[in-house]
Amino acid sequence: MAAHGELTETAVRQPQRCSVELELFFADAPAWADLDKMAWTNSMGFDFDPIGHERAATLAQIATFMETLPQVSAMWRAIPVDSALGLERAD
């Protein structure tokens, strides 16, 4: 038994994997009408490059690509009206 205020190995164990869900809610706007009909919506993907040059290059590519999609560009500049964040242990 640990003394009051003392952390034990069990108390400080961090989960190996977490499931994170971020939801952003935007007011309706004509700028992103038909967003759900865009061809790329099923292939968002994730990039796990380490912080540094590779990630900066990937973010630059994403920003350039987003500028070709008017609906996404408009949403990127929009301010959410609400948000929700979920975090669950996945191990």
Side-chain angles (χ1 to χ4, degrees), residues 4 41 77:
H4 180 70
T41 56
R77 290 173 183 72

mmCIF file of all heavy atoms in Angstrom, residues 4 41 77:
data_model
loop_
_atom_site.group_PDB
_atom_site.id
_atom_site.type_symbol
_atom_site.label_atom_id
_atom_site.label_comp_id
_atom_site.label_asym_id
_atom_site.label_seq_id
_atom_site.Cartn_x
_atom_site.Cartn_y
_atom_site.Cartn_z
ATOM 1 N N HIS A 4 0.029 8.094 1.541
ATOM 2 C CA HIS A 4 -0.842 9.134 0.977
ATOM 3 C C HIS A 4 -0.041 10.064 0.071
ATOM 4 O O HIS A 4 0.999 10.575 0.457
ATOM 5 C CB HIS A 4 -1.493 9.929 2.110
ATOM 6 C CG HIS A 4 -2.395 11.012 1.606
ATOM 7 N ND1 HIS A 4 -3.584 10.736 1.004
ATOM 8 C CD2 HIS A 4 -2.269 12.360 1.593
ATOM 9 C CE1 HIS A 4 -4.159 11.875 0.655
ATOM 10 N NE2 HIS A 4 -3.367 12.870 1.001
ATOM 11 N N THR A 41 -13.867 11.816 -50.227
ATOM 12 C CA THR A 41 -14.385 11.692 -48.861
ATOM 13 C C THR A 41 -14.151 10.321 -48.239
ATOM 14 O O THR A 41 -14.111 10.201 -47.027
ATOM 15 C CB THR A 41 -15.882 12.033 -48.787
ATOM 16 O OG1 THR A 41 -16.591 11.205 -49.709
ATOM 17 C CG2 THR A 41 -16.130 13.489 -49.097
ATOM 18 N N ARG A 77 -11.287 27.501 -43.249
ATOM 19 C CA ARG A 77 -11.232 28.863 -42.717
ATOM 20 C C ARG A 77 -12.384 29.162 -41.755
ATOM 21 O O ARG A 77 -12.381 30.187 -41.083
ATOM 22 C CB ARG A 77 -11.255 29.859 -43.871
ATOM 23 C CG ARG A 77 -9.984 29.849 -44.689
ATOM 24 C CD ARG A 77 -10.120 30.725 -45.926
ATOM 25 N NE ARG A 77 -8.978 30.705 -46.794
ATOM 26 C CZ ARG A 77 -8.602 29.714 -47.579
ATOM 27 N NH1 ARG A 77 -9.288 28.611 -47.591
ATOM 28 N NH2 ARG A 77 -7.543 29.797 -48.355
#
